[in-house]
Amino acid sequence: MTNERAKRFPLGLEDLVREPRRPEGRPGEIRAAAFAASAALNARKPSAKNASSASSVKGAHTKPVQAKPVQARTPEAQAPAQAKSAVKAQARPPAQPQARGPARTAVKPQSKPQLQSQPKPLAKAAAQILAPRTAPNGVPSSKPAAKLSDRAAAPSVALNGALALTSERVRERMVERLRANGVTHPRVLNAMSVVPRHMFVDPGLAAQAYEDAALPIGHHQTISKPSVVARMIELAAAGRALNNVLEIGTGCGYQAAVLSQVAREVYSIERIKPLSERAKINLRPLRIPNIRLHYGDGRLGLPSAAPFDAIVIAAAGLDVPQALLEQLAIGGRLVAPVGSQEGHSQVLTLVERLGPAQWRESRLDRVFFVPLKSGVI
C-alpha cells in the first residue's frame, strides 16, 4: 500500500477480520474474570490482577459491564472517594477508538453502558412527548402531542367553553342577531340573554352553543336554533303576560328555561325517559323554581294543569292534536310546526282560540323539526 493510499485508508484488510465469537480459555477462567470485573466496578478500587484478567478476555461479545472498568479507568477513577469518581465518570467524554482492530473490539462494548448511565433525560422527554392527550369528551387519545407548548396553550374545547362562553357578552352578540332578524319582545330578548345555552349541549359542542344552529342532543333529537326558540316564544306571548305555559318536547330543557323567564309557571312534557332525566340534570344548577317537568305522551297534553295561556310544541305533526287545542285557554295561543319531514314541507303555525269551539290558524315560516310521536320510551 502506498503512502497516499495509507493516508486515505488507514486500516488494512487484516483490521477488518472479526474476532472469534467464542472467547478463548476455559469456562472457569471466563467466569472468574467476569466476577473480578464486576467486583472492580462496584468497589471502584483498581486491581492489577483483575485488570489483566479482564483484558485477557477477547472479543466484543462479552457483557458490556465487564469491559467498561478496563477501558474507562483513569487515574482519577482510582481515588478513594466513590462520589468523586462517579461524578468524573459521568463528565468524562467517551474514549476515541484506536486505529487497529483489537483496540476497536475492546472499545465497542463501551457504547451500551454509556446509554445506560444517563437514561433519565431521554426517558423524561419521551414520556412528555408520548403522554396521552385528552379529547373534549374527556377520553384519552392515543395520538402523541407534537409540541408541549401547543398543549399548554390549547386546552380542551370543554374547558374553553366553561371559561369563555359564560361571558354575558357572548350571549349579547346572539341577542343582537336575534334583534336584527326581527325579534322585538323585550322579555324574550332578555330571557335569551340570561339563559346559558352552552350548559344544555354536549361539552364538545359548547363552542357552537351561541351560533344560530340546531345541535344534536342524542336519541335522534335536537336543540332548536336560538332564532326559532325566540320566534316561537314571541308568537306565544304576543306582548301579554303569561300565567301558565305548556311545552311539548322538553328535550334538553333549554326552551323551558327560556320560557321560565317569560311565564309565571312552565309545564314541560318529554316522552323519552333519558332526555327527561337529562333536562333535570341540566336545569338543576340554574335553580329555576317555576318549571315543572313531566315524563309522558306529549300529544295527550296535561289536563290536570289546563287551561294554558300558551302551548309551544317543539316537534312537527301532520296536524295539531285535538287534545292540545282543548287545553288552550280562550284567548290563548298555540305555536307548532305542522307538516311532514319529506321535502321540508313543515310550516310554523299559530293557532288562537277565539271561543269555546272556535280557533283561528295562521301559517307563517318554513321550519324543520323532529317528528311528533305518540307513546313513551
Side-chain angles (χ1 to χ4, degrees):
M1 181 181 298
T2 63
N3 293 336
E4 181 64 26
R5 183 174 180 81
K7 292 179 181 180
R8 296 178 59 188
F9 303 94
L11 300 180
L13 181 61
E14 62 276 7
D15 297 329
L16 302 179
V17 178
R18 294 181 179 270
E19 293 290 333
R21 296 182 63 88
R22 295 182 58 86
E24 297 179 358
R26 297 179 181 179
E29 296 175 354
I30 298 174
R31 286 196 298 269
F35 178 80
S38 177
L41 179 64
N42 294 332
R44 299 289 183 178
K45 293 181 179 182
S47 174
K49 181 179 179 179
N50 292 341
S52 60
S53 299
S55 60
S56 64
V57 180
K58 297 182 180 180
H61 300 285
T62 58
K63 293 184 179 180
V65 293
Q66 297 174 0
K68 180 177 179 180
V70 179
Q71 193 66 24
R73 184 180 299 114
T74 61
E76 294 177 354
Q78 299 177 3
Q82 297 181 1
K84 180 177 179 182
S85 63
V87 174
K88 294 293 185 178
Q90 293 181 357
R92 188 185 308 117
Q96 297 295 331
Q98 299 178 5
R100 305 300 297 176
R104 291 175 63 202
T105 57
V107 174
K108 205 169 185 180
Q110 191 173 359
S111 59
K112 188 171 182 180
Q114 287 178 356
L115 293 177
Q116 294 178 351
S117 62
Q118 297 179 354
K120 293 184 178 180
L122 295 177
K124 184 177 180 181
Q128 291 176 346
I129 295 175
L130 299 178
R133 302 180 67 183
T134 303
N137 52 13
V139 179
S141 173
S142 59
K143 296 181 180 180
K147 294 182 181 180
L148 297 179
S149 59
D150 292 345
R151 291 182 58 197
S156 64
V157 175
L159 182 59
N160 276 336
L163 297 178
L165 296 178
T166 54
S167 170
E168 294 182 2
R169 181 56 185 162
V170 178
R171 292 194 291 273
E172 285 300 327
R173 286 197 293 267
M174 178 188 69
V175 172
E176 291 172 4
R177 292 194 298 267
L178 295 176
R179 187 180 289 109
N181 291 334
V183 180
T184 59
H185 196 298
R187 296 191 66 179
V188 174
L189 292 174
N190 178 72
M192 298 295 293
S193 67
V194 299
V195 176
R197 190 171 186 253
H198 68 276
M199 294 181 61
F200 294 87
V201 301
D202 293 334
L205 300 175
Q208 307 174 44
Y210 296 99
E211 298 178 2
D212 194 27
L215 302 175
I217 57 175
H219 304 277
H220 306 287
Q221 306 297 307
T222 60
I223 179 175
S224 299
K225 296 180 180 181
S227 59
V228 174
V229 173
R231 173 70 167 153
M232 295 179 71
I233 296 177
E234 185 178 49
L235 289 172
R240 59 199 175 97
L242 299 177
N243 290 323
N244 56 341
V245 176
L246 175 63
E247 179 194 26
I248 307 300
T250 308
C252 61
Y254 174 68
Q255 186 167 257
V258 178
L259 282 168
S260 70
Q261 305 300 309
V262 179
R264 184 175 60 87
E265 293 288 340
V266 177
Y267 299 86
S268 185
I269 304 177
E270 176 56 55
R271 63 181 293 269
I272 303 176
K273 186 66 173 179
L275 284 182
S276 180
E277 295 299 326
R278 177 178 177 177
K280 293 179 182 179
I281 295 174
N282 291 340
L283 291 168
R284 188 174 294 124
L286 300 179
R287 300 183 180 275
I288 302 176
N290 61 332
I291 295 181
R292 308 287 183 263
L293 300 181
H294 294 267
Y295 170 60
D297 188 348
R299 291 183 63 92
L300 302 179
L302 197 62
S304 60
F308 299 100
D309 295 331
I311 299 177
V312 178
I313 305 177
L318 297 179
D319 57 5
V320 178
Q322 186 63 31
L324 298 180
L325 293 176
E326 296 290 343
Q327 295 176 29
L328 189 62
I330 297 176
R333 289 183 157 209
L334 181 148
V335 182
V338 177
S340 65
Q341 287 186 316
E342 298 178 0
H344 298 274
S345 61
Q346 299 175 5
V347 178
L348 191 63
T349 303
L350 170 65
V351 179
E352 302 173 83
R353 188 168 188 179
L354 305 178
Q358 186 179 5
W359 293 266
R360 180 174 63 195
E361 181 178 299
S362 304
R363 300 172 69 85
L364 304 172
D365 310 327
R366 292 281 182 180
V367 290
F368 186 77
F369 279 78
V370 296
L372 178 64
K373 297 181 179 181
S374 301
V376 295
I377 57 176

